[in-house]
Amino acid sequence: MLGRIVEELVRREGPRILAGLIGRLGGNFELAEDALQDAYERALTSWPSAGIPERPGAWLTTVARRCAIDRLRRLRRNADDGDAILEQLAAEEPEAVDDGGLPDDRLRLLFTCCHPAIAVPAQMALALRTLCGLSTREIARAFLEPEATTAQRLVRAKKKIAEARIPYVVPSHDELPDRLAAVLAAIYLVFNEGYSATEGESLVRPGLSGEAIRLARLLVQLLPQEPEAYGLLALMLLHDSRRDARVGEDGALVPLEEQDRARWDRTKIAEGLGLLDRAIAMRRRGPYQVQAAIAALHAKAATASATDWPQIAALYGALHAMMPTSIVELNAAAAVAMVSGPEQGLACLTRVEAGGELGDYHLLPAARADLLRRAGRSREAQVHYRLALERARNPAERLYLQRRLREVTVAGGAELPDQTRKSR
């Protein structure tokens, strides 16, 4: 039981505490992570007898700070910096340390992770590790790459920050626009992990999506003339408005077309639409604005059948011109199927599959299975639902795929023979 409580604290409070520690330790990621891990271990040792403190996040912050002091005194790898940090840390009174550090710590951490001296894939991996508290395995699954590759990215990124002495600050106003693309991408990664968790017991992790929205609001304040900052915030609010309707009573994912639209958060929708209008008025279109426009069309539709699919398909075409990625193609295929029928959508998916970039991505066979089901090709759909189930990790998604598999099994009878399965 205690282990589960600490695990939940790690998920909920860990990134916030880590951001404050990194700031206090002069941007030393490794020391901050080690000190926080020491604090978690001390909690597991002392809380069974002493009881869980009233403010466990503040307790962890204070203990992690003390552990960092101990490690600095033992290691002394850089005498000058170590002395300066030790002096600063020792001067802090325990009661003066709150449960998250300065309000801007996570924004400073985000800009540090997304410094142009760090390779873009490593930027994203480091942001997910520090801002989300994701494990190396979870990040690897999000990037569709081997775990060892992700681990190497993280090591190189931390080493680069230390060697280049990358400052733990929000850049000057003149530097902000050049850093915007990486920061927006990192925020959206954080949001997506909260909106559709890679692993774990729940489909959604509201703390992460809420943190991404908070960071985007700060960016809008910093860059009031950047339409893509408004576009990203609008996109996330429009998606987040559907959060409560995305999981059924049985814990299974509820697809967009089946959601109870009365449960959508109309306040978030109204704010998202207003932000999108402001972004469009600046007349500098970007991919987040286009994605927000797609989300807006869904939000405005009173029913699933009233959705303006031709316009959505056209917007996906525009988005693909800006972002020619397999993920965009996959989503575009679904829109094409809604406009021109499932067979046209399946033809689009064949082109996506030929690219080979989504080989282990569970939503690719799930999309093919869904279109085969819609086309009445139930026995073929069974094969692809099973393949999606092999790759999916989130319980809510697995429950949904299992339901669909049962439906097409009843409709189509026995599964395709092994020989037919191998030939497809």
Side-chain angles (χ1 to χ4, degrees), residues 12 31 53 58 60 88 101 108-109 122 135 137 145 154-155 193 227 264 294 301-302 337 346-347 349 353 391-392 400:
R12 190 180 69 244
L31 178 58
L60 287 169
Q88 176 185 336
R108 295 188 189 105
L109 176 58
S135 67
R137 183 182 67 180
E145 66 184 14
L154 290 167
V155 170
E193 183 57 32
W264 289 2
I294 293 170
L346 287 166
L349 283 184
E353 290 167 341
R391 297 175 182 174
Y400 166 74

Side-chain angles (χ1 to χ4, degrees), residues 22-46:
I22 293 172
R24 289 187 173 93
L25 296 172
N28 190 325
F29 280 69
E30 294 286 356
L31 178 58
E33 289 178 338
D34 289 343
L36 186 53
Q37 184 60 43
D38 290 344
Y40 293 147
E41 292 174 1
R42 292 193 184 185
L44 289 171
T45 301
S46 66

Side-chain angles (χ1 to χ4, degrees), residues 100-286:
L102 298 172
D104 290 343
D105 271 335
R106 281 166 286 177
L107 189 61
R108 295 188 189 105
L109 176 58
L110 179 59
F111 275 101
T112 302
C113 293
C114 296
H115 194 278
I118 304 170
V120 172
Q123 291 177 8
M124 301 300 104
L126 191 59
L128 287 173
R129 180 58 174 263
T130 54
L131 286 164
C132 299
L134 265 62
S135 67
T136 304
R137 183 182 67 180
E138 289 172 320
I139 299 169
R141 286 188 56 78
F143 284 172
L144 308 177
E145 66 184 14
E147 188 173 338
T149 301
T150 301
Q152 290 172 0
R153 290 191 198 282
L154 290 167
V155 170
R156 285 196 297 266
K158 294 172 187 176
K159 184 177 180 181
K160 184 67 176 181
I161 289 171
E163 291 178 347
R165 294 183 176 270
I166 292 173
Y168 189 72
V169 296
V170 175
S172 67
H173 188 77
D174 291 340
E175 295 175 309
L176 282 172
D178 292 336
R179 305 274 289 276
L180 182 63
V183 170
L184 290 176
I187 290 175
Y188 197 34
L189 272 175
V190 173
F191 176 83
N192 281 328
E193 183 57 32
Y195 190 70
S196 294
T198 306
E199 295 186 357
E201 297 180 0
S202 175
L203 177 68
V204 296
R205 294 170 61 181
L208 288 182
S209 51
E211 174 64 11
I213 289 172
R214 188 191 75 85
L215 289 169
R217 291 190 191 281
L218 287 176
L219 271 187
V220 167
Q221 294 174 19
L222 283 169
L223 299 167
Q225 301 304 316
E226 287 292 342
E228 280 290 80
Y230 287 96
L232 176 61
L233 181 54
L235 172 62
M236 294 191 299
L237 286 168
L238 290 168
H239 280 325
D240 201 53
S241 70
R242 303 196 297 263
R243 184 179 65 204
D244 292 342
R246 295 183 65 235
V247 180
E249 292 183 359
D250 60 351
L253 167 73
V254 180
L256 181 60
E257 63 191 40
E258 298 178 12
Q259 288 176 15
D260 178 0
R261 298 181 181 224
R263 299 184 64 192
W264 289 2
D265 189 325
R266 294 295 159 183
T267 299
K268 289 180 180 176
I269 290 174
E271 184 182 2
L273 294 176
L275 289 163
L276 178 58
D277 287 342
R278 290 189 65 179
I280 292 173
M282 296 180 190
R283 297 188 178 278
R284 282 183 284 140
R285 188 171 64 172

